[in-house]
Amino acid sequence: MQPRKNQVNYSDVAELEGLEFLNARYIEQTFSRHSHEGYTVGVIEHGAQGFYRTGGEHTAPQNTIILVNADEIHSGYSATEGGWAYRAMYPLPEHFVQLSRDLGMPEYGAPYFPEPVVKDDVLAAHLKQVFDVLEVSDNPLQRETLVYSALSSLMLRHGQSRLYAAPAKASEQALSQVKSFLDEYATWNVTLAELAQLAGMSPFGLVRAFSKAFGLPPHAYQIQVRLKRARTMLKHGLPLADVAVESGFHDQSHLHRHFKKAMGITPGQYVKANRH
């Protein structure tokens, strides 16, 4: 059953100062023409939204991406009976400027997105994953990394001016130092900015170089280290709730989700399989 009232949840990403995001379902809502200090990057999840931008009216159906540039006049209204649901984030120009530097093209600055509505299933799925993580995860490393990678993909794929990412470069020693830190302090909720400082690199530059060197971005590597610790403790017979906390997961359900995704079985099934 569809809701009969507008539902709006508005929050911010504490790790990325100034970045806000929205999860909304509008049944009857019309936004007059206005502008935001930041960009609007949204994915339509149900229904369709109509809006004014760049001198004309546009319609964004389900699974399309809405793009509104910073300080650009736009509106918003339902383009279908029953309203529309969407999730969006509002990165500031300075977030993109930092990414341009990290991608090795500081002269590129903040992008201009010429298309108000984009059909890009891969990027839409990526953005949905970002919104899922922002809503449920308290892992700052994961949150920062996914936001950075989504925004960089958006710039590379849909910015008006062509942007070429320079090859990721980092010393083997710096990357090994970050890897060793994640191995030793797997339970710490370290931020991407802190790891970047340790390596003497920019945040997204570290993500790119670490992924190239070790096959996984830092947050995914951190999860694998935590799972390895969890498996060791499960083999020693520790209770599941204790294992979750001691290995760095938020709670037992958080451990359960990552464990099954990686191993194909639940922690409980793993315990049974290892009983002698």
Side-chain angles (χ1 to χ4, degrees), residues 53-67:
R53 200 212 101 170
T54 323
E57 301 292 332
H58 310 278
T59 300
Q62 186 174 356
N63 291 326
T64 59
I65 301 169
I66 288 177
L67 296 175

Side-chain angles (χ1 to χ4, degrees), residues 46-209:
H46 301 288
Q49 179 184 352
F51 64 104
Y52 169 89
R53 200 212 101 170
T54 323
E57 301 292 332
H58 310 278
T59 300
Q62 186 174 356
N63 291 326
T64 59
I65 301 169
I66 288 177
L67 296 175
V68 180
N69 297 291
D71 295 319
E72 191 168 39
I73 300 297
H74 63 285
S75 65
Y77 51 87
S78 178
T80 186
E81 185 177 350
W84 81 98
Y86 76 119
R87 290 190 285 179
M89 66 171 123
Y90 305 93
L92 298 172
E94 45 263 44
H95 291 129
F96 283 114
V97 169
Q98 181 60 55
L99 274 175
S100 295
R101 296 194 192 104
D102 289 359
L103 290 168
M105 292 188 65
E107 69 282 0
Y108 186 87
Y112 177 81
F113 299 111
E115 297 300 324
V117 180
V118 169
K119 178 64 174 175
D120 184 332
D121 292 339
V122 172
L123 183 56
H126 191 171
L127 287 168
K128 288 179 182 179
Q129 181 191 19
V130 172
F131 294 131
D132 287 341
V133 167
L134 291 179
E135 289 176 359
V136 303
S137 174
D138 63 351
N139 183 329
L141 183 57
Q142 182 184 30
R143 288 158 61 93
E144 288 176 89
T145 301
L146 290 180
V147 169
Y148 273 124
S149 61
L151 294 182
S152 65
S153 294
L154 185 64
M155 291 173 65
L156 291 165
R157 296 161 77 101
H158 299 291
Q160 183 177 45
S161 301
R162 195 67 176 171
L163 175 63
Y164 298 94
K169 295 181 179 179
S171 71
E172 183 177 335
Q173 180 181 1
L175 294 177
S176 296
Q177 192 172 4
V178 171
K179 181 176 178 290
S180 296
F181 181 92
L182 292 173
D183 286 333
E184 187 171 355
Y185 303 105
T187 60
W188 287 22
N189 273 333
V190 63
T191 68
L192 181 57
E194 290 168 339
L195 288 182
Q197 185 176 13
L198 178 66
M201 301 175 63
S202 64
F204 195 58
L206 171 62
V207 172
R208 295 168 64 221

